[in-house]
Amino acid sequence: MPNATQPPPPRTPSGGPAAAATFGKIDKPAPRAHRPSAPDYERIARSPEFLDRRARLRRFAFPMTAVFLIWYLG
C-alpha cells in the first residue's frame, strides 16, 4: 500500500506518551516448581503389594478369558 502511515503512538489524558502495558506489573514468568524425579519402577515391581495385585489379576483374567471363549464358541 503506497503512502501508508502508521497510527500515532498512544497518549495519556495529559498528552504525554503512554507507558507500555504491564498486566498488573507482572513482567516476568512465574518460577517453575522443582519437578519430582521419575518413579522407581524397579522398586515398585519388587514390592509385595504390586506382586499381590499382579497375582490377583492373573487369577481373575485367565479363567474369565477361558469362560468367555467357551461361552462364545458354544
Side-chain angles (χ1 to χ4, degrees):
M1 210 191 291
N3 298 329
T5 59
Q6 293 183 350
R11 299 270 182 194
T12 62
S14 64
T22 60
F23 300 103
K25 301 195 189 258
I26 298 174
D27 58 348
K28 295 179 184 175
R32 295 189 180 248
H34 176 64
R35 288 180 96 175
S37 60
D40 184 5
Y41 293 112
E42 295 293 327
R43 184 181 58 81
I44 294 170
R46 289 188 309 258
S47 70
E49 296 90 1
F50 180 79
L51 294 173
D52 179 52
R53 289 180 188 259
R54 194 167 160 195
R56 290 177 65 192
L57 174 68
R58 285 184 183 156
R59 285 193 306 263
F60 175 77
F62 291 127
M64 289 308 288
T65 302
V67 167
F68 172 76
L69 288 175
I70 291 169
W71 171 81
Y72 183 73
L73 296 175

